[in-house]
Amino acid sequence: AISAGLFWLATLFAALLAVQRGAALEQSDGGRDGLRLSGLDPAGIFLGKATAVFAQLAFLETILAGGVVLLFGGTLRNPLMLVATAIPATIVLATTGTIYATLTAGDRSRDTLVPLLEFPLVAPILLAAAQATRAALDDRTIDGWPWVRLLVIAALAFTALGVLIFDSVLEDS
């Protein structure tokens, strides 16, 4: 029963590490100034950064899903639901992490601020993802599709928000 929650908790920690490491590399190499001066569309920069985090998390989730099934003895009852859950939930983690890591990049306490800002925002998303994952794994008592719809709406909302505000986030950092 807890395997789905552990799966998403591990994914959240990996997302935090990925966005913080990316922001630290940009800050130390002066990459952020280069992005500001490049003339590139800030929405494109945001989508590129979020896509990079998404790709890293998708790779990790593939390995984690196999580990959850093997280690916890579950059966994958509905693989389509698992994929339909993982994609929007991972998009939310990637977009929110990208926004907060960029926003706090110039601050000395960014390693502490990003988790403090992101945890309250993504907690409902992780709960929805865990419920849908439980339904996909082997729990016949839960209908996971309403949770998947919630995740899709959240992914669309956070992606649109990131595209709209990333110009000012990039300028303020």
Side-chain angles (χ1 to χ4, degrees), residues 54-125:
F54 176 85
Q56 293 172 19
L57 293 177
F59 178 73
L60 172 77
E61 288 171 1
T62 303
I63 295 168
L64 278 177
V68 164
V69 170
L70 288 175
L71 295 175
F72 291 100
T75 58
L76 188 54
R77 184 173 62 94
N78 193 342
L80 176 63
M81 184 182 295
L82 185 61
V83 171
T85 300
I87 290 173
T90 306
I91 289 172
V92 171
L93 291 175
T95 55
T96 57
T98 300
I99 292 168
Y100 282 137
T102 305
L103 188 63
T104 61
D107 198 280
R108 267 189 246 153
S109 59
R110 71 177 170 263
D111 293 337
T112 307
L113 275 177
V114 173
L116 286 176
L117 293 170
E118 188 158 359
F119 282 161
L121 186 66
V122 299
I125 301 306

Side-chain angles (χ1 to χ4, degrees), residues 123-144:
I125 301 306
L126 293 178
L127 290 171
Q131 290 296 325
T133 303
R134 265 184 65 198
L137 287 177
D138 196 25
D139 195 340
R140 292 173 180 20
T141 62
I142 299 173
D143 180 17

Side-chain angles (χ1 to χ4, degrees), residues 18 105 148:
V148 172

Side-chain angles (χ1 to χ4, degrees), residues 27 31-40 45 102 105-106 167 169-173:
Q27 191 69 19
R32 189 163 321 281
D33 294 331
L35 285 175
R36 280 190 219 129
L37 297 173
S38 69
L40 294 172
I45 295 170
T102 305
D167 185 25
V169 169
L170 192 61
E171 290 298 322
D172 290 341
S173 63

